[in-house]
Amino acid sequence: MNVQGKVAFVTGGGSGIGAAISQTLDKAGATVIIFDLNEDGRMVADTLQQESLFVQGNVADQKDIKRAVQSAVEKFGRIDILINNAGIFRDQKLMKMSEEEWDLVLDVNLKGAFLTIKEIAPIMKGNQYGKIVNISSVSHKGNFGQANYSASKAGLASLTNTAALELAPEVTVNSIAPGSIDTPLFQSMDEKGKEKFIKKIPMKRVGNPEEIAQTVLFYASDASSYVTGTLLEVDGGLTTGLNLR
Ligand code: NAD
């Protein structure tokens, strides 16, 4: 699975799963553009072996996306791979959730992906080549306290299917639904909470960011040349069937 000579645009590439995706694509030969709200993304871009670019901006702001895509195309001439990874959560029970919490999560997680696809898909269609990977979540099925986040991730899975239909045959569009991944968020849980959670996972451990990055590499490379409009659960079996013991 290589992406030698390809140009990849990774949103939220400055931390956690996005940083692992950027590093994995870089090692597999791609030039990576990291787009992130947080200036720390520059440090991740600096660790990459191939030529790279960091652009600071908000994925929910069309002007920022346009500026970033323009810089990427000016510097590297094209974009072959788009990874929609930037995501946030503001958990709250439905009846207590504010309109602001709803809007913010939907704007970043769902509108952000719409805006990047809208901007980058014409470039890919023009070059008759493109690979888009959207990072959804197992929460797309619905999850307690995550009305906003779950809806955004279900929306992203659905957007994947529509984009796959509209952008075929030149561009493939797929999504990945990670389970619980060992990022600073999981580490911040207390030991008892972590233990309880891990018991629910058939594989008895959380995943690591590199395990998500490897599945991204599959979708971003020509190893997946006949795969489009799919959703792959990468969750150690967490969502496979009922576990009513
Ligand atoms: P993270 O917080 O470590 O990284 C997210 C990155 O996105 C950060 O660098 C952040 O600055 C950036 N970002 C946030 N809002 C942005 C915006 N408006 N514009 C541009 N960049 C923005 O999170 P993570 O755990 O690595 O999660 C990455 C993706 O994976 C998210 O979409 C998340 O929903 C999804 N996911 C994570 C897990 C998990 O267990 N960690 C599970 C399922 C899905």
Side-chain angles (χ1 to χ4, degrees):
M1 297 195 292
N2 84 75
V3 282
Q4 202 69 42
K6 300 285 194 260
V7 180
F9 189 98
V10 182
T11 73
S15 168
I17 294 172
I21 293 170
S22 300
Q23 284 154 353
T24 298
L25 292 176
D26 170 69
K27 272 197 207 118
T31 296
V32 177
I33 299 119
I34 293 183
F35 178 84
D36 204 297
L37 195 56
N38 191 332
E39 179 64 33
D40 287 354
R42 193 179 298 281
M43 289 192 296
V44 178
D46 287 344
T47 65
L48 302 180
Q49 296 162 12
Q50 322 284 333
E51 210 182 346
S52 63
L53 176 68
F54 170 74
V55 183
Q56 188 174 19
N58 179 0
V59 82
D61 184 330
Q62 191 167 28
K63 289 190 301 302
D64 285 4
I65 298 290
K66 278 187 186 286
R67 173 174 54 82
V69 170
Q70 208 175 343
S71 307
V73 172
E74 266 166 28
K75 190 155 185 197
F76 303 118
R78 59 184 207 285
I79 296 172
D80 307 297
I81 297 165
L82 164 63
I83 316 295
N84 281 311
N85 163 79
I88 57 167
F89 56 87
R90 295 289 183 276
D91 291 2
Q92 184 61 269
K93 280 202 255 180
L94 178 56
M95 285 185 286
K96 289 188 177 166
M97 188 174 286
S98 68
E99 189 178 348
E100 288 72 27
E101 286 166 334
W102 174 271
D103 284 348
L104 181 64
V105 170
L106 269 289
D107 273 1
V108 174
N109 297 6
L110 185 55
K111 190 173 94 174
F114 161 68
L115 292 175
T116 57
I117 294 172
K118 191 171 155 60
E119 204 58 34
I120 293 174
I123 298 169
M124 293 176 162
K125 288 290 268 186
N127 292 333
Q128 305 207 327
Y129 185 90
K131 299 274 190 183
I132 299 176
V133 187
N134 297 322
I135 307 299
S136 176
S137 162
V138 287
S139 292
H140 76 87
K141 293 171 190 280
N143 192 20
F144 193 96
Q146 293 197 315
N148 49 1
Y149 184 79
S150 300
S152 74
K153 294 299 188 179
L156 193 54
S158 171
L159 175 66
T160 299
N161 296 345
T162 299
L165 293 173
E166 292 188 11
L167 302 180
E170 299 91 348
V171 180
T172 67
V173 192
N174 292 287
S175 57
I176 293 170
S180 198
I181 305 303
D182 194 4
T183 60
L185 171 77
F186 181 76
Q187 287 306 337
S188 70
M189 280 167 80
D190 62 58
E191 285 307 316
K192 234 178 145 184
K194 280 191 215 171
E195 233 173 76
K196 202 175 144 197
F197 193 83
I198 287 172
K199 271 197 183 141
K200 292 184 181 166
I201 305 171
M203 288 183 75
K204 299 293 174 237
R205 64 174 181 87
V206 290
N208 60 60
E210 290 69 31
E211 289 175 305
I212 301 301
Q214 286 301 321
T215 57
V216 169
L217 180 58
F218 167 68
Y219 278 139
S221 73
D222 290 330
S224 61
S225 52
Y226 199 52
V227 184
T228 196
T230 69
L231 178 128
L232 179 62
E233 317 267 1
V234 186
D235 64 0
L238 181 65
T239 58
T240 189
L242 299 174
N243 202 359
L244 302 174
R245 282 177 298 161

